Amino acid sequence: MAGAALTGFLTALSLILAIGAQNAFVLRQGLARSHVFALCLFCALSDAVLIAVGVAGFGTLVALVPGFPRAMALAGAAFLLVYGAARFRAAWRGGHALTAQGRAGTRTATLATAAALTWLNPHVYLDTLGLIGAVSTQYPALGQKLAFGAGAAAASFVFFFSLGYGARLLAPTMQSARAWRLLDLGIGAVMWALAAGLILGPAAPAG
């Protein structure tokens, strides 16, 4: 149970750790100290809903199409290999920059922007419904699957609240090209490790 929860936590954390439009927006709002709690809660709950659908949906598909999880796992592994390679390439090239600009808006406007960045982003669905759902198939037992999903959802809460409230501490560090390179190297290594796990499959039946 603990192993499944930890795998879920690390899988989700690795997928959301790369700075994108949504994360940059959360960081920006954190720097402005504007609607941080509402924004972080919205982003984390959105991820939790999508993760739950991904984990539950794959369980249903396993029963209907036994070969589907393996096919999806291989597709997920291919994406993770490419994504990991992109992170290694970014680490090699360097030149990252993240600026926090813009004025704080109302809470409604802030959450509307967050909704667009979350629910209109195709990568969110690929990460939660596809990749996290695929990795969850390594745990056929209901208890392990629930632990995996809970761990993945917990990663979203930890990440977004840490990013939002820790923004003022993180921003100076992340202005450093070296810090970005180390971050990208770490993400790339985790992505490739996950890809290897999907390709090789579970070492032994769960029990």
Side-chain angles (χ1 to χ4, degrees):
M1 289 285 225
L6 180 61
T7 299
F9 185 91
L10 293 177
T11 299
L13 186 63
S14 298
L15 289 172
I16 65 177
L17 195 57
I19 292 293
Q22 183 194 48
N23 295 351
F25 180 67
V26 174
L27 182 58
R28 213 174 283 123
Q29 292 298 117
L31 287 169
R33 296 184 180 180
S34 175
H35 314 300
V36 178
F37 180 82
L39 175 61
C40 293
L41 182 62
F42 176 86
C43 291
L45 286 176
S46 295
D47 270 8
V49 169
L50 290 169
I51 288 168
V53 172
V55 173
F58 263 72
T60 302
L61 284 174
V62 168
L64 296 176
V65 186
F68 184 77
R70 183 58 179 167
M72 197 63 193
L74 291 177
F79 174 82
L80 289 172
L81 288 172
V82 173
Y83 188 85
R87 301 271 52 85
F88 285 129
R89 181 170 179 266
W92 173 262
R93 294 180 63 184
H96 293 288
L98 182 63
T99 59
Q101 298 177 345
R103 295 184 304 174
T106 65
R107 181 167 61 181
T108 299
T110 297
L111 294 181
T113 301
L117 292 174
T118 301
W119 295 93
L120 298 181
N121 181 2
H123 291 291
V124 170
Y125 297 97
L126 178 60
D127 290 348
T128 54
L129 301 184
L131 294 175
I132 291 179
V135 176
S136 73
T137 61
Q138 298 180 44
Y139 304 102
L142 179 60
Q144 289 182 317
K145 192 174 291 292
L146 290 174
F148 175 88
S156 289
F157 279 87
V158 170
F159 175 78
F160 284 115
F161 278 93
S162 296
L163 181 62
Y165 285 100
R168 289 183 177 272
L169 299 176
L170 290 174
T173 300
M174 297 314 295
Q175 295 295 338
S176 163
R178 182 174 182 274
W180 280 105
R181 281 178 166 150
L182 291 175
L183 177 64
D184 279 329
L185 283 173
I187 293 173
V190 171
M191 291 299 175
W192 280 15
L194 289 172
L198 287 175
I199 293 171
L200 298 175

